[in-house]
Amino acid sequence: MFRHLPSSPLSPSSTLQRERESPRCSFKARGSQTTRSEKQSSGRRRSEEMSKSGGRDWMQIYSIYGTDEWQTIGFLFFHAFVFIISSLLLLLYFSPFLSFLHSLLPSLPTPFLRFAAGFSGSVLALSALCLLFAAANIMYSSVPLRWIMAQRMISTVPDWSAVRTALDVGCGRGILLNAVALQLKKQGSSGRVVGLDCRREIAVAALRRAGAEGVQEYVTCREGDARRLPFPDGYFDVVVSSIHLSGIGRRPGDSPAAAAAERGRGLGEMIRVLKPGGVGVVWDLIFVPEFTQRLKEMMMEEVRVSERVTAYMVNSHMVSFRKPMDEFLNGAAPPLDWRANIC
């Protein structure tokens, strides 16, 4: 809306006042004077932001959470180094090695031995590259990708301002747990998130990392089994789990059917402790199709499967769902004791 002003001359102060009252026009005028250097600087800022996840630098995330895959990564790097050294030695001492092969197998023609030696060197070099790629993929999947997937899992919850209680089943190092706590802190919520792990020392370490993230007042940790969650029915607004349910029931000698039944129990427990209308999110490397089918059989609503994400060199997916409203489960659940972070 515009008002008709008198045609009297305007003073500089009144002109400034009109510019303040019409920010749309002043923005357009400033935007038309954007220089190339400003565009380049904005492009650099955008590229710097793309190299981070949610404003977090990867080195900062590594310094807080580390990785529990050091043995696998060290194994891969060691053998890659051995293969690299072997291929370089074969390249540098190709002629002596060929002579050695000829002395061992004098009946074979020299061109065949030359081809075999060259092929062996190529295989060693390619094997080293594959091992380096595998080690880099595991390093990326163990922390940066987990943080990215935590942000994606959080984004599936439509309204975090209404969340009072959340549960992370299999919190591990606490990447997803603390991401949820940071989201609650960002919303200014007084809610809490519980991290549950089957080993007490893991839960204690996750709580310590929550202190490093500055969200310890939003987090509590407990020791417990995902197949027998120590919480009342319909308590949590949000229940999440990241690469944990697939490990349930993995014992030597168990049949695939028994392992699937154990995973089903874990998924059923997540649904049991979820409030009617609450949201659940599961990220898994292998069994998302199985979980999706079970969720549909249990009449969950809004079951959605995300696009595939390559993690640990396999195709993983994320499935989200909403628990149907049930008038018989609307009774208030007894509150948990939040004074002690470790139960």
Side-chain angles (χ1 to χ4, degrees):
M1 297 179 62
F2 295 89
R3 292 181 299 174
H4 295 283
L5 300 177
S7 59
S8 59
L10 298 175
S11 63
S13 60
S14 62
T15 304
L16 180 60
Q17 182 66 25
R18 288 186 63 190
E19 289 180 355
R20 290 176 178 174
E21 293 177 353
S22 58
R24 192 173 298 176
C25 297
S26 61
F27 177 79
K28 185 176 181 180
R30 288 193 300 269
S32 62
Q33 299 176 359
T34 304
T35 62
R36 180 176 297 180
S37 61
E38 290 174 343
K39 291 181 179 180
Q40 292 175 351
S41 61
S42 64
R44 286 194 297 269
R45 287 194 300 269
R46 192 179 299 111
S47 63
E48 291 174 357
E49 291 173 358
M50 290 176 64
S51 65
K52 300 178 181 180
S53 172
R56 302 295 301 277
D57 186 86
W58 296 137
M59 296 305 297
Q60 182 185 16
I61 298 176
Y62 269 117
S63 65
I64 295 175
Y65 297 100
T67 177
D68 51 6
E69 307 289 346
W70 284 120
Q71 291 184 347
T72 303
I73 294 172
F75 175 85
L76 294 173
F77 271 122
F78 173 77
H79 285 82
F81 179 76
V82 171
F83 287 167
I84 290 173
I85 296 298
S86 300
S87 61
L88 289 176
L89 290 176
L90 183 60
L91 180 63
L92 293 175
Y93 300 99
F94 185 78
S95 297
F97 181 72
L98 189 62
S99 301
F100 174 73
L101 287 180
H102 188 69
S103 64
L104 290 178
L105 304 169
S107 59
L108 295 177
T110 301
F112 177 81
L113 294 176
R114 185 182 296 272
F115 171 80
F119 181 78
S120 300
S122 301
V123 169
L124 288 173
L126 289 174
S127 300
L129 289 176
C130 292
L131 290 173
L132 289 174
F133 173 78
N137 184 269
I138 292 176
M139 287 186 64
Y140 172 72
S141 301
S142 63
V143 175
L145 182 61
R146 280 180 177 261
W147 183 264
I148 292 173
M149 293 304 298
Q151 305 306 314
R152 293 185 183 180
M153 295 173 74
I154 288 172
S155 66
T156 60
V157 179
D159 185 13
W160 277 98
S161 62
V163 175
R164 306 289 295 174
T165 52
L167 171 65
D168 179 12
V169 179
C171 62
R173 288 168 289 156
I175 295 178
L176 177 58
L177 176 72
N178 293 333
V180 172
L182 287 169
Q183 182 68 20
L184 293 174
K185 183 178 181 179
K186 179 181 177 181
Q187 295 291 334
S189 171
S190 59
R192 298 292 186 270
V193 55
V194 181
L196 181 132
D197 199 273
C198 58
R199 289 180 290 178
R200 181 181 176 84
E201 60 273 16
I202 299 295
V204 172
L207 182 62
R208 187 165 54 247
R209 294 186 179 100
E213 290 279 18
V215 292
Q216 189 169 3
E217 67 273 16
Y218 293 88
V219 175
T220 187
C221 295
R222 292 195 60 168
E223 178 185 4
D225 190 344
R227 295 165 292 184
R228 293 176 293 274
L229 294 178
F231 306 108
D233 296 350
Y235 184 82
F236 294 97
D237 298 298
V238 174
V239 179
V240 295
S241 182
S242 175
I243 315 181
H244 180 74
L245 293 182
S246 58
I248 296 177
R250 281 189 174 182
R251 293 174 298 182
D254 284 354
S255 63
E262 294 298 309
R263 292 191 296 270
R265 288 182 60 187
L267 186 63
E269 281 290 282
M270 290 180 59
I271 295 173
R272 179 185 66 80
V273 301
L274 190 63
K275 287 181 180 179
V279 177
V281 190
V282 177
W283 175 40
D284 196 77
L285 302 178
I286 305 173
F287 298 107
V288 164
E290 175 186 314
F291 297 152
T292 303
Q293 181 63 31
R294 287 182 177 271
L295 290 170
K296 292 179 179 179
E297 292 173 354
M298 288 185 280
M299 307 302 292
M300 295 295 107
E301 299 176 348
E302 301 178 19
V303 179
R304 297 188 178 95
V305 179
S306 70
E307 71 281 0
R308 66 178 185 180
V309 177
T310 302
Y312 298 98
M313 296 178 292
V314 299
N315 292 329
S316 67
H317 296 272
M318 182 177 66
V319 58
S320 61
F321 61 94
R322 183 181 295 275
K323 186 175 181 178
M325 296 298 297
D326 189 343
E327 60 181 358
F328 298 105
L329 297 178
N330 286 335
L336 296 180
D337 185 6
W338 300 106
R339 293 172 295 178
N341 290 97
I342 295 293
C343 300

